[in-house]
Amino acid sequence: DAKTTQPPSMDCAEGRAANLPCNHSTISGNEYVYWYRQIHSQGPQYIIHGLKNNETNEMASLIITEDRKSSTLILPHATLRDTAVYYCIVRPYNTDKLIFGTGTRLQVFP
Amino acid sequence: GAVVSQHPSRVICKSGTSVKIECRSLDFQATTMFWYRQFPKQSLMLMATSNEGSKATYEQGVEKDKFLINHASLTLSTLTVTSAHPEDSSFYICSASTSGGAEETQYFGPGTRLLVL
């Protein structure tokens, strides 16, 4: 299974863009990249996922490099409510399982 | 988005008793549900995968006789912690997905905090 590497923590000023990197250099061609976040004492919340192309939804944008070895989750205008642990997960193509790593703790400050 | 609920949200029980946690998909049918456990300051750990109408598949190191999982319908899965002990105190989270496939998205419940005294 492809492993992911994320920085343990990041800070971001409120109103600014938060760019959360993820390295997944061993990803296979048919494995999707998923992003979830977990606000303290809650269940994880789905954010976005992608395979090759960049993706955007109402929550965030996902930029995947051409070689697919890394990706960046972008929160365009971070708010205090975006403070959470963000998990980048590579999902094996032949399973429904999501294996969570340690994630990035994003702290948005006023 | 799809909504998954859990009940109860928190439970306190005495050592040696059993506790049942329910996980429901409210607006979709979930052929597959997952159970996770999360200790303080740690990440989520997958415990088991359950498919409607069949036995659950447990991850390595998870005792199937201690953590009983039932997925009797397309909208309900239950996790029963049998003979609970203080070390079972944790945050238990379920998730649900529909038909599977390479692009299937899992939606998570709000979690159940279990404290065993």
Side-chain angles (χ1 to χ4, degrees), chain B residues 82-93:
Chain B
T82 62
S83 186
H85 291 285
E87 57 266 30
D88 298 322
S89 297
S90 189
F91 192 46
Y92 291 86
I93 309 168

Side-chain angles (χ1 to χ4, degrees), chain A residues 32 34 36 38 41-44 46 49 87 91 96-98 100-101, chain B residues 34 36 38 43-44 59 91 101-106 108-110 113:
Chain A
Y32 282 79
Y34 280 78
Y36 284 80
Q38 186 178 26
S41 296
Q42 297 183 22
Y46 166 77
H49 74 278
Y87 296 98
R91 180 177 152 185
D96 293 345
K97 294 181 184 179
L98 292 176
F100 284 77
Chain B
F34 304 84
Y36 296 80
Q38 185 176 32
S43 187
L44 284 77
E59 295 298 302
F91 192 46
E103 202 174 349
E104 191 56 49
T105 298
Q106 284 186 32
F108 286 79
R113 193 162 299 282

Side-chain angles (χ1 to χ4, degrees), chain A residues 10-87:
Chain A
M10 293 182 65
D11 290 338
C12 178
E14 190 176 20
R16 304 299 290 264
N19 298 287
L20 292 91
C22 179
N23 182 287
H24 32 78
S25 57
T26 59
I27 193 170
S28 298
N30 51 6
E31 293 179 322
Y32 282 79
V33 179
Y34 280 78
W35 283 83
Y36 284 80
R37 72 180 183 185
Q38 186 178 26
I39 296 171
H40 184 62
S41 296
Q42 297 183 22
Q45 177 188 23
Y46 166 77
I47 301 174
I48 200 167
H49 74 278
L51 181 64
K52 296 180 182 178
N53 300 321
N54 298 336
E55 302 287 345
T56 296
N57 62 21
E58 65 278 4
M59 289 184 68
S61 295
L62 174 60
I63 308 299
I64 302 174
T65 57
E66 194 170 339
D67 63 9
R68 304 212 323 125
K69 291 185 177 181
S70 66
S71 60
T72 301
L73 179 74
I74 301 173
L75 307 179
H77 305 286
T79 71
L80 298 179
R81 288 177 293 181
D82 292 323
T83 293
V85 178
Y86 287 76
Y87 296 98

